[in-house]
């Protein structure tokens, strides 16, 4: 592995840790509110996407962050509704590139609301 790839992988690992630690600080009651229905999940994600856009993040940066959140949720949270179950199944069935595209789709989905 080249030094450049090593640095990129290390940065991605640090970003993933940051996202995971941020999600872990969300109280259980708030997490239930967010994931209790697909509409509330979309609203929550939409607010975060809007904030990222205000901060000047590109769609690619937003998708990378959404990808880290989705990976965390797929591994650590049980789906609470049919839509979340479908997203989890799609996530687990996809390869790295397909998961990244799914993250892009989620960003676009909530960005249009």
């Amino acid at each position: 592995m080249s030094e450049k790839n090593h640095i990129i992988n290390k940065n991605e690992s640090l970003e993933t840790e940051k996202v995971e630690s941020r999600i872990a600080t969300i109280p259980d009651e708030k997490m239930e509110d967010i994931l209790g229905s697909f509409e509330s999940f979309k609203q929550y994600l939409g607010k975060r996407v809007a904030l990222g856009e205000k901060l000047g993040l590109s769609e690619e940066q937003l998708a990378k962050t959404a990808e880290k959140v989705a990976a965390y949720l797929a591994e650590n949270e049980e789906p609470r509704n049919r839509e979340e179950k479908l997203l989890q199944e799609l996530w687990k069935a996809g390869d790295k590139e397909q998961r990244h595209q799914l993250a892009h789709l989620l960003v676009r989905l909530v960005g249009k609301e």
Side-chain angles (χ1 to χ4, degrees):
M1 178 183 297
S2 73
E3 186 170 334
K4 181 180 177 183
N5 286 342
H6 178 72
I7 291 170
I8 290 170
N9 287 341
K10 186 175 181 179
N11 285 341
E12 286 180 3
S13 179
L14 290 172
E15 288 175 23
T16 299
E17 288 176 22
K18 211 185 315 184
V19 168
E20 288 178 356
S21 67
R22 174 69 177 112
I23 293 171
T25 64
I26 299 173
D28 289 342
E29 307 83 43
K30 178 70 174 171
M31 187 65 85
E32 188 59 42
D33 288 344
I34 294 167
L35 299 176
S37 77
F38 191 61
E39 287 305 313
S40 63
F41 170 71
K42 288 191 329 183
Q43 288 174 357
Y44 179 82
L45 187 57
K47 288 177 186 176
R48 298 305 173 263
V49 167
L51 177 61
E53 288 171 339
K54 277 186 178 179
L55 295 173
L57 297 180
S58 68
E59 183 180 326
E60 183 63 24
Q61 291 168 310
L62 293 168
K64 284 183 178 183
T65 301
E67 192 173 352
K68 290 169 180 44
V69 171
Y72 176 87
L73 292 175
E75 291 300 317
N76 298 293
E77 293 291 331
E78 285 299 315
R80 291 168 174 80
N81 52 62
R82 293 183 308 224
E83 295 89 351
E84 289 174 10
K85 179 67 174 166
L86 175 60
L87 285 173
Q88 184 185 59
E89 293 296 320
L90 289 170
W91 188 261
K92 288 181 176 182
D95 61 24
K96 183 176 173 67
E97 186 175 321
Q98 291 165 328
R99 289 175 177 179
H100 185 68
Q101 290 304 314
L102 183 56
H104 269 282
L105 290 170
L106 285 169
V107 167
R108 289 180 184 174
L109 174 69
V110 300
K112 294 181 180 192
E113 295 190 1

